[in-house]
Amino acid sequence: MTGRVRVMGVVNVTPDSFSDGGRYADTDAAVAHGRRLLADGADLLDIGGESTRPGATRPVVSEELDRVVPVIEALAADGATVSVDTMRAEVAAAALAAGATVVNDVSGGLADPAMLATVAAGGATYVAMHWRAHSDRMTDHATYDEPGGPDDVVAAVCRELGERVDAARAAGLPDERLVLDPGLGFAKRGEHNWQLLAGLDRVQALGFPLLVGASRKSFLGALLAAGDGTPRPVGEREVAGHALTLVLAQRGVWGVRVHDVRGTRDVLRVWERTHP
Ligand code: PMM
């Protein structure tokens, strides 16, 4: 499959994101950042008000709403396709009312029992990511012993995403509005992420478009670690992320969730030019 890969640009309206360190924590800075990502060639913008880095604690709902709604309103008014990165139905509903058309739920509907029905009723596209627990506990859940063999993370992710598909269908969400995501870095140890990337065709065999978020994540930092084992800092993982985008384009993913839209777009221009 050589379809055009969608570039989802990340706008974290959080004081504590691991990847962009709270640089866009206020409305004006976040909106300006979103506009820059659009100018760089983002197909859609993912606006999030809750940091999901390992160990993070959750904001209260009102805080999450205050962070994301004004940013969504401004960027949707610009004509951008806007996705809201939230695990809360209340935030998803407010985001859709503010102009978002995609709900990116890293919990795949597990964190809030009202989420799937809210998205189904709201007419949005839904990204269901593989997830097991909130960030303060997720490393305790990074075990994948399976009948297929010890540590068969691909089998477990496929089974658990399949359960989310069943739940989404039961809530009335049509298949055409569902996108799946293997959830790199979420309740996964370094090696699990590489196993998932190597086995991505098995996840694709579930029959849904895939979104993959690898940008700046710690498994890339570990891959590129210095001789003494010090991980490559977050800001110096971009080239590896771009290499992965090319691999993902070759696999035929629906989209990539990235921070550096400009570089990603460059990579995809080369890909598209060589796969007419
Ligand atoms: N990763 C993060 C946040 N949201 N959403 C999806 N669908 N997939 C991901 O991999 C994902 C996500 C964490 O990364 P960030 O802190 O850099 O936004």
Side-chain angles (χ1 to χ4, degrees):
M1 199 169 118
T2 57
R4 191 170 186 276
V5 181
R6 288 154 196 79
V7 178
M8 175 189 265
V10 178
V11 181
N12 285 322
V13 198
T14 54
D16 55 350
S17 169
F18 84 91
S19 52
D20 36 30
R23 268 185 286 161
Y24 315 114
D26 71 77
T27 303
D28 290 347
V31 171
H33 184 57
R35 289 184 176 142
R36 201 154 44 238
L37 297 183
L38 285 174
D40 286 344
D43 295 299
L44 68 166
L45 298 175
D46 192 36
I47 320 296
E50 172 175 355
S51 168
T52 47
R53 82 183 144 72
T57 52
R58 307 194 71 190
V60 297
V61 183
S62 60
E63 205 176 342
E64 191 182 345
L65 284 167
D66 289 347
R67 288 176 185 175
V68 298
V69 169
V71 178
I72 292 169
E73 277 171 351
L75 293 169
D78 285 354
T81 301
V82 174
S83 156
V84 61
D85 187 343
T86 187
M87 292 182 256
R88 288 174 164 138
E90 192 181 336
V91 176
L96 296 180
T101 55
V102 179
V103 174
N104 172 28
D105 176 3
V106 298
S107 84
L110 287 171
D112 185 336
M115 178 62 102
L116 294 170
T118 299
V119 177
T125 295
Y126 184 61
V127 179
M129 199 192 79
H130 178 262
W131 180 92
R132 285 183 163 180
H134 286 289
S135 299
D136 56 349
R137 290 176 289 118
M138 72 178 169
T139 45
D140 302 340
H141 292 263
T143 51
Y144 292 92
D145 285 334
E146 285 290 307
D151 236 22
D152 189 350
V153 64
V154 184
V157 166
C158 287
R159 189 187 58 246
E160 291 168 28
L161 279 178
E163 290 165 5
R164 303 327 303 151
V165 170
D166 293 344
R169 284 175 173 157
L173 195 92
D175 282 7
E176 310 80 69
R177 285 179 15 216
L178 187 56
V179 174
L180 300 180
D181 184 325
L184 299 178
F186 286 80
K188 319 277 183 318
R189 298 190 191 283
E191 184 54 30
H192 294 142
N193 300 296
W194 295 112
Q195 288 171 11
L196 269 170
L197 286 165
L200 210 60
D201 53 335
R202 288 163 65 197
V203 187
Q204 278 177 311
L206 292 170
F208 289 86
L210 287 192
L211 175 71
V212 179
S215 180
R216 300 182 180 169
K217 285 189 177 168
S218 56
F219 71 101
L220 296 177
L223 178 77
L224 305 172
D228 66 359
T230 308
R232 180 74 67 83
V234 170
E236 297 170 30
R237 300 172 185 170
E238 224 67 270
V239 176
H242 293 328
L244 208 42
T245 289
L246 193 58
V247 170
L248 292 167
Q250 275 159 349
R251 301 284 175 81
V253 299
W254 175 86
V256 289
R257 182 182 180 281
V258 297
H259 301 86
D260 178 18
V261 168
R262 191 165 191 265
T264 303
R265 190 45 85 201
D266 286 356
V267 166
L268 290 173
R269 282 213 178 98
V270 173
W271 161 256
E272 286 156 12
R273 192 67 186 78
T274 50
H275 294 76

